[in-house]
Amino acid sequence: MDTIFALASAQGKAGVSVIRISGPQAFAAGRSLCGTLPPVRQAGLRLLKDAAGTRIDEALVLCFAEGASFTGEDVVELQVHGSVAVVRKVLADLGQMEDVRLAEAGEFTRRAFENECLDLAQTEGLADLIDAETEAQRRQALRVLSGDLGKLVATWREDLVRAAALLEAVIDFADEEVPVDVSPEVNDLLARVEESISRQVAGVAVSERIRSGFEVAIVGKPNVGKSTLLNALAGRAAAITSEIAGTTRDVIEVRMDLRGLPVTLLDTAGLRETEDQIEALGVALARGRAEAADLRVFLLAPGDQPELEVCPGDVLAYSKADLHQVGEFSISAKSGEGLDHLVDRIASVLTERSAEAGLATHLRHRQGMERALAHLSVSKDWVRNGPDGYDIAAEELRIAIRALGSLLGKVDVEDLLDEIFSRFCVGK
């Protein structure tokens, strides 16, 4: 296997840059640059020199032995001064060494997976952690990276293996009298696993929203102040504002961190009947996006009624509180009155929904669990038919176990690996 290297920190000038080397020749490559290496897991200051003995830089060096590193291989990390020229020179010298090459995108993490240092779900959690922009995304990614999903899948697998073993024990002694009816214990095991998996499936939609962002649509009639509110919440002029009704015709999106939650605010066209074909298209688009949003802020003028059905969690707010006060929830995007209250209300609703998130965070996870549930259901039906159906029930359980194994990359995921690891940058 080749030894690989790459810049593990961000590109460009920095205080410190980290260059990572991993593979069977990692220590040899490190010694070629450093002369000597510090003991494993102990930092040491070393002078880096090229093949001609010319000084390159002074670096803090760390070594990790095979089986006790991120990749599971021998690893050397060089913490050099964050000069573009220094990094380029070190990478160029490494590239000239025999059996040492530049890593491909995600190759360090892929080796960690192949060496069983991470399961596939943890790998996805690591990618999500790197991409995390909000506190909620960070917490969710860290739960997956810590292996909590893998532990849960292991519990499911243990129960299903136990159930299959009980059924197969009856099959093996089909010609003899079996003193114990195993169906009650099998049914209990299957029901417990089915309930737990179903709970995780139900939470995937929320988990995906935490990853991609909740959508909050601002809806109302023309000229009620939707674009002004969007700009006030975004803290910048994201949307054009005008006293001319119908100015907003497309859906304007602003992504932001709202009390630690990822939120995409949608400024939609004013909802009204219009003869203008272009505006009518904008109104139709606004209705569709608003209906599909996770939450709607209905911005109303005195006497207005919501143009769409109000769903649980939606917020009804009266605009232009600097001009008139209506009800207990009046806001003014111009003066800022009530905006903190509005943000708190939106964050409260979305935080409550976030509590329903499960450990499974990707569509792939949900599909694997749904396949497992389908085979569990078939297995339960055959168990109810008595011992004559136990052989089919046991086979259905084995298929369910394989479906769960795909969550962790144990089976049937080869076609997914390139796509998953391509999400990582070179050096990770």
Side-chain angles (χ1 to χ4, degrees), residues 299-370:
L299 201 55
L300 308 172
D304 283 352
Q305 294 296 321
E307 297 283 333
L308 301 174
E309 180 183 357
V310 179
C311 299
D314 287 347
V315 180
L316 274 63
Y318 289 91
S319 66
K320 304 180 182 179
D322 53 311
L323 301 178
H324 44 69
Q325 290 282 338
V326 180
E328 61 176 357
F329 210 131
S330 295
I331 63 173
S332 170
K334 185 175 181 179
S335 68
E337 181 180 345
L339 292 190
D340 285 345
H341 185 194
L342 176 62
V343 170
D344 288 340
R345 176 69 177 276
I346 295 171
S348 176
V349 172
L350 297 182
T351 298
E352 185 176 342
R353 293 181 186 177
S354 297
E356 301 172 4
L359 292 173
T361 56
H362 289 70
L363 174 62
R364 183 184 71 82
H365 301 162
R366 186 179 70 194
Q367 291 172 336
M369 292 187 294
E370 287 175 342

Side-chain angles (χ1 to χ4, degrees), residues 155-156 158-159 162 186-199:
T155 300
W156 294 339
E158 183 179 335
D159 285 346
R162 168 66 178 167
V186 169
N187 285 329
D188 287 345
L189 289 168
L190 300 190
R192 183 168 67 199
V193 173
E194 186 176 46
E195 190 275 333
S196 182
I197 294 177
S198 297
R199 190 165 57 247

Side-chain angles (χ1 to χ4, degrees), residues 234-246:
R236 61 186 176 88
I240 297 173
T241 60
S242 168
E243 294 181 0
I244 302 173

Side-chain angles (χ1 to χ4, degrees), residues 13 68 95 163 204 214 258 266 277-278 317 322 350 412:
K13 185 169 65 174
V204 171
F214 292 96
L258 197 71
L266 308 178
Q277 291 185 341
I278 302 300
D322 53 311
L350 297 182
D412 301 331

Side-chain angles (χ1 to χ4, degrees), residues 239-296:
I240 297 173
T241 60
S242 168
E243 294 181 0
I244 302 173
T247 299
T248 302
R249 299 193 174 196
D250 203 350
V251 176
I252 298 172
E253 302 183 7
V254 175
R255 188 174 177 86
M256 60 187 298
D257 182 334
L258 197 71
R259 303 286 194 267
L261 293 168
V263 171
T264 299
L265 291 175
L266 308 178
D267 177 22
T268 60
L271 302 181
R272 67 172 178 175
E273 297 296 328
T274 177
E275 297 297 326
D276 186 319
Q277 291 185 341
I278 302 300
E279 185 182 355
L281 290 173
V283 171
L285 179 61
R287 287 182 178 274
R289 290 298 298 272
E291 289 170 353
D294 299 288
L295 184 149
R296 283 149 293 279

Side-chain angles (χ1 to χ4, degrees), residues 34-340:
C34 306
T36 62
L37 294 176
V40 294
R41 293 183 175 270
Q42 292 185 30
L45 193 63
R46 294 292 187 272
L47 188 65
L48 305 186
K49 296 182 179 180
D50 62 18
T54 304
R55 175 174 176 166
I56 301 173
D57 191 23
E58 198 170 47
L60 193 65
V61 181
L62 283 163
C63 300
F64 303 90
E66 179 181 353
S69 69
F70 172 71
T71 61
E73 304 169 338
D74 287 341
V75 169
V76 175
E77 289 189 357
L78 309 173
Q79 298 183 18
V80 300
H81 292 96
S83 157
V84 174
V86 168
V87 171
R88 185 184 297 124
K89 173 62 175 173
V90 174
L91 295 180
D93 281 35
L94 285 169
Q96 293 173 2
M97 296 180 186
E98 188 175 357
D99 297 325
V100 179
R101 63 171 175 81
L102 184 67
E104 298 175 358
E107 191 168 4
F108 285 94
T109 306
R110 183 160 189 161
R111 290 193 177 193
F113 167 72
E114 292 173 344
N115 292 327
E116 299 185 352
C117 298
L118 297 173
D119 62 42
L120 196 56
Q122 287 177 292
T123 297
E124 290 166 316
L126 177 57
D128 291 342
L129 183 61
I130 292 171
D131 292 338
E133 297 176 342
T134 69
E135 179 63 14
Q137 290 173 327
R138 182 194 66 80
R139 289 197 303 266
Q140 176 170 280
L142 206 56
R143 288 174 66 197
V144 180
L145 177 58
S146 67
D148 287 354
L149 179 58
K151 294 170 188 174
L152 185 58
V153 172
T155 300
W156 294 339
R157 185 181 183 280
E158 183 179 335
D159 285 346
L160 295 185
V161 168
R162 168 66 178 167
L166 290 170
L167 296 176
E168 288 168 354
V170 175
I171 296 169
D172 290 342
F173 294 96
D175 296 331
E176 304 176 21
E177 183 178 349
V178 179
V180 177
D181 180 8
V182 301
S183 59
E185 183 177 355
V186 169
N187 285 329
D188 287 345
L189 289 168
L190 300 190
R192 183 168 67 199
V193 173
E194 186 176 46
E195 190 275 333
S196 182
I197 294 177
S198 297
R199 190 165 57 247
Q200 290 298 319
V201 168
V204 171
V206 178
S207 298
E208 288 182 321
R209 274 309 197 200
I210 293 175
R211 285 180 54 243
S212 62
F214 292 96
E215 288 195 345
V216 175
I218 305 172
V219 296
K221 292 181 178 179
N223 246 16
V224 77
K226 299 184 298 299
S227 297
T228 304
L229 175 59
L230 176 79
N231 291 342
L233 293 175
R236 61 186 176 88
I240 297 173
T241 60
S242 168
E243 294 181 0
I244 302 173
T247 299
T248 302
R249 299 193 174 196
D250 203 350
V251 176
I252 298 172
E253 302 183 7
V254 175
R255 188 174 177 86
M256 60 187 298
D257 182 334
L258 197 71
R259 303 286 194 267
L261 293 168
V263 171
T264 299
L265 291 175
L266 308 178
D267 177 22
T268 60
L271 302 181
R272 67 172 178 175
E273 297 296 328
T274 177
E275 297 297 326
D276 186 319
Q277 291 185 341
I278 302 300
E279 185 182 355
L281 290 173
V283 171
L285 179 61
R287 287 182 178 274
R289 290 298 298 272
E291 289 170 353
D294 299 288
L295 184 149
R296 283 149 293 279
V297 176
F298 289 93
L299 201 55
L300 308 172
D304 283 352
Q305 294 296 321
E307 297 283 333
L308 301 174
E309 180 183 357
V310 179
C311 299
D314 287 347
V315 180
L316 274 63
Y318 289 91
S319 66
K320 304 180 182 179
D322 53 311
L323 301 178
H324 44 69
Q325 290 282 338
V326 180
E328 61 176 357
F329 210 131
S330 295
I331 63 173
S332 170
K334 185 175 181 179
S335 68
E337 181 180 345
L339 292 190
D340 285 345

